Amino acid sequence: MALDWTPFAEVPVFYPQGSHTLVAFLSELADRPVHEPFHVLFPVVGALSAGILYLIALVAFNDRRSGLVAAACYAFLPLWGSLDYFRWGGLPNALAMLLLCFAMLILMENVHAPPRQKQFAVLGAILCMVAIQTTHHYTLMVAAIFLGGGLVFTADAALRRLLLATAVLSLVFCAPLLLAPRLAAGLPPASSAFALFREAPLTLLDCVRSLNPVFVALFAFALVTARRSSWNALQLLTLSWFAGLLAAFVGLEYVYRGATLLLTRFQDCYTGLTPSRLATDLAYPMSILCGFIPLLPAYAARRRLALSLLAAAGLVTCLVAWNDQRRTGVRPDFEEAGRWLRDHTPATSMIVGTFPHLEYLSWRETAYPPLPASEPRNHPAVLWKEQMRTEDEWLQWQMTSQRPVYILCPPDAPEDARLREIFANASVRVMVGD
């Protein structure tokens, strides 16, 4: 009988992605479970990000009001890229984007600084890029879009030289860190980041809804009303970053998908490099460019009304986000089953089946690890498990490997004479072979 995981496939899987170094360090330091410092870091990183965006907008617009509006917009309006991070465990993305914004601030503040100060600015930005590389590879690509867009579109020679120095030296320092692990292993990249990446197709309307229609409308209003303003080099740098992210999203989500559809003769349609992440990171430049709003002539005449509307929109958005996320990851039955597996199974066990947080709760190897696209999904150590389709194959593997196998089933799964139930609750049954 083929294994049927349909009941579990419909359950969202929430798990920490990316580097766990900082989280593990804080967990050991505080002597707390890993998920506790992981959760605490979300508001900390969010607050720091809002503060950094305030400083960036302050430098770009030279107006304190612009900084406050940019920070408030980021903190209270975007879902993707801000309030939604907690739902999908996007701490590495949030932390890496914080580092990128810090590098951006360093460079923007020192465009016309003395030569020695510029050198320290470039060094600081490079250190941020190296930290990004060790935290979240995807954000390194977002950083390349930021630096590349600035090099192409800026008309300020001093800014271009600063960006070029940062880009070249960052490549020198980051490339060995990217290549060394693969060269040491003697293996080609085994991720599915560039091919056969399955992500639900997104329309631009989907992105608007996910970012928050009010936030997108506010950003569009800022751009339209500021189109005839005199834009300085730093504002154009931010706009080029936004345009680069949007162009990359369109290229991967629509052009890449269209090409795969044609190449497979309309039999398959997939994408690469997680296009939704690019749309998520749009929240940062969009928030900065909302700093145009306080500079508009109409804003001064209706300042109290504008601030009241902004506060109301932020309050409603935060309430909606809280209502959607307050039960995220709270599944007592799955937690009970995972902890039972940890306490009552050998460390060498193989768990066949899945539910949210299974690997973390049970601390056991599983047949279907929820690896992100950038992780080695196509590594032989992972692929062989996908070839095991039936209980008979896993029970045979148990005999040959001398490792115990535990099979997870939904509560209403049909009885099987070959399997014996050893644990059950309202959501999960744990079975072993007789």
Side-chain angles (χ1 to χ4, degrees), residues 165 175 238 367 384:
T238 307
W384 74 269

Side-chain angles (χ1 to χ4, degrees), residues 122-134:
V122 171
L123 176 61
I126 292 170
L127 291 175
C128 287
M129 297 300 170
V130 173
I132 290 170
Q133 191 277 328
T134 59

Side-chain angles (χ1 to χ4, degrees), residues 285-309:
M286 289 171 68
S287 297
I288 298 169
L289 291 173
C290 283
F292 271 114
I293 293 174
L295 306 182
L296 301 175
Y299 178 84
R302 300 175 177 83
R303 183 176 65 87
R304 291 186 178 180
L305 176 62
L307 291 176
S308 298
L309 291 175

Side-chain angles (χ1 to χ4, degrees), residues 248-296:
F249 168 78
V250 171
L252 289 172
E253 183 64 29
Y254 305 122
V255 179
Y256 195 111
R257 278 190 191 275
T260 60
L261 190 63
L262 292 174
L263 290 173
T264 59
R265 298 181 180 180
F266 299 92
Q267 298 299 311
D268 201 357
C269 180
Y270 53 87
T271 185
L273 293 175
T274 325
S276 62
R277 196 67 52 78
L278 293 165
T280 296
D281 294 338
L282 283 172
Y284 295 85
M286 289 171 68
S287 297
I288 298 169
L289 291 173
C290 283
F292 271 114
I293 293 174
L295 306 182
L296 301 175

Side-chain angles (χ1 to χ4, degrees), residues 159-176:
L159 179 57
R160 184 183 294 111
R161 287 193 296 270
L162 206 60
L163 294 174
L164 181 60
T166 302
V168 172
L169 293 175
S170 295
L171 181 62
V172 169
F173 281 93
C174 289

Side-chain angles (χ1 to χ4, degrees), residues 297-367:
Y299 178 84
R302 300 175 177 83
R303 183 176 65 87
R304 291 186 178 180
L305 176 62
L307 291 176
S308 298
L309 291 175
L310 180 60
L315 177 61
V316 171
T317 301
C318 289
L319 288 174
V320 170
W322 173 79
N323 185 62
D324 288 344
Q325 298 178 28
R326 62 192 177 94
R327 300 295 295 173
T328 293
V330 180
R331 297 180 175 87
D333 289 344
F334 292 153
E335 182 176 351
E336 180 189 16
R339 294 193 181 282
W340 188 92
L341 288 167
R342 175 182 287 198
D343 294 338
H344 295 87
T345 63
T348 57
S349 300
M350 173 70 74
I351 311 298
V352 180
T354 187
F355 56 74
H357 306 298
L358 170 61
E359 290 75 14
Y360 174 72
L361 292 170
S362 67
W363 215 251
R364 297 290 182 266
E365 183 179 0
T366 65

